Amino acid sequence: YIPLKVDVHAYDGRMIEAYALVVRHTSPAILNQHTLPSVRYMGLLRQGAAHHKIHPLYIEYLQSLPSNERST
């Protein structure tokens, strides 16, 4: 992954500079179902969103995303 600087809109209307992690190279494996995020990772995202009082619609969106149920 490489960090990519992005501008985001805060709920209060401010523009904030943030970073997103972007895949460096695309390969067929990236498109494969086995590359879904882990259950643990998705849980951390959902807990963090709730803790920081992210908009409920976004939390609902996070709840709808699939994860890799296999334990690693």
Side-chain angles (χ1 to χ4, degrees):
Y1 294 97
I2 56 172
L4 175 68
K5 192 183 302 184
V6 295
D7 293 323
V8 297
H9 295 270
Y11 291 138
D12 63 7
R14 294 177 297 139
M15 289 293 291
I16 300 172
E17 188 176 275
Y19 287 88
L21 295 177
V22 180
V23 173
R24 185 181 300 256
H25 299 286
T26 304
S27 72
I30 290 172
L31 303 176
N32 188 319
Q33 182 177 6
H34 299 290
T35 59
L36 290 172
S38 69
V39 171
R40 179 180 179 276
Y41 178 75
M42 290 307 299
L44 291 171
L45 283 179
R46 293 169 183 147
Q47 289 172 5
H51 175 81
H52 291 286
K53 298 178 179 26
I54 300 299
H55 195 284
L57 288 177
Y58 191 74
I59 293 174
E60 186 177 315
Y61 165 72
L62 288 175
Q63 298 288 7
S64 75
L65 295 175
S67 59
N68 186 343
E69 299 298 327
R70 290 187 303 154
S71 59
T72 55

